[in-house]
Amino acid sequence: MRLLKKYPNRRIYDTETSKFVTLSDVRQLVIDRVPFQVVHSKTGKDLTRSVLLQIISELEEEGHESLLTNRILEELIRFYGERMVGMMAPFLEGQILQYLAAHDKLRGQFQKAFAKPYPTPEKALRKMLEQYLSKKT
């Protein structure tokens, strides 16, 4: 697990590379599926969630389309303080993970289907002929 330390001046230090990093760098870790944890430099308190929320907020401020609509945010806020929140978090996570797995599978199928350009009819016939002739011998 990669350890990032957040300092009171809002700077984030990557202990693996021994460099300060930006939120864009942290976002890239997420995209690259690198496991990491952000902790407060002095207290050791886990700040990972707040940094992830900050990344989402900044992406939306940059004009990226929001996944968390006002309606969704309102409904999530309503769950806080209820007994159901303990069951809702794992349920939502499971639903999102199922969606992502299906999305990754579909993306993989499209990449396979369109990875190589389709052969011209001439090349396809030549390949079929070569396969036919190789089976005869």
Side-chain angles (χ1 to χ4, degrees):
M1 168 101 34
R2 197 142 167 189
L3 182 63
L4 307 176
K5 293 185 177 182
K6 188 169 184 182
Y7 286 85
N9 63 2
R10 297 179 49 126
R11 294 188 75 188
I12 301 172
Y13 184 77
D14 185 341
T15 60
E16 186 173 297
T17 62
S18 300
K19 295 189 310 189
F20 284 99
V21 295
T22 64
L23 285 177
S24 294
D25 297 324
V26 178
R27 178 177 180 247
Q28 192 60 50
L29 292 176
V30 172
I31 292 168
D32 295 341
R33 300 181 191 274
V34 175
F36 67 90
Q37 181 181 27
V38 182
V39 297
H40 190 278
S41 64
K42 296 204 188 299
T43 65
K45 180 181 175 189
D46 188 353
L47 302 175
T48 308
R49 289 172 37 83
S50 65
V51 169
L52 293 172
L53 289 168
Q54 187 178 357
I55 291 169
I56 290 171
S57 178
E58 287 195 5
L59 286 170
E60 290 182 6
E61 285 175 16
E62 292 172 5
H64 292 272
E65 191 171 342
S66 175
L67 290 172
L68 301 173
T69 64
N70 288 350
R71 170 86 192 272
I72 291 172
L73 291 171
E74 290 167 1
E75 295 302 331
L76 290 174
I77 289 169
R78 287 184 183 106
F79 273 109
Y80 281 87
E82 289 188 13
R83 293 181 195 174
M84 293 292 290
V85 76
M87 291 186 292
M88 194 61 177
F91 172 76
L92 286 174
E93 183 177 3
Q95 292 297 307
I96 290 171
L97 291 175
Q98 282 181 345
Y99 169 80
L100 292 174
H103 184 262
D104 286 346
K105 184 177 179 181
L106 185 61
R107 184 183 331 177
Q109 290 172 344
F110 274 116
Q111 285 174 340
K112 271 186 188 176
F114 299 109
K116 297 179 183 175
Y118 290 111
T120 62
E122 181 182 301
K123 286 182 183 178
L125 286 172
R126 186 177 305 134
K127 185 173 182 177
M128 288 170 48
L129 182 61
E130 288 170 1
Q131 288 174 346
Y132 174 75
L133 292 175
S134 70
K135 288 181 184 177
K136 284 186 100 176
T137 57

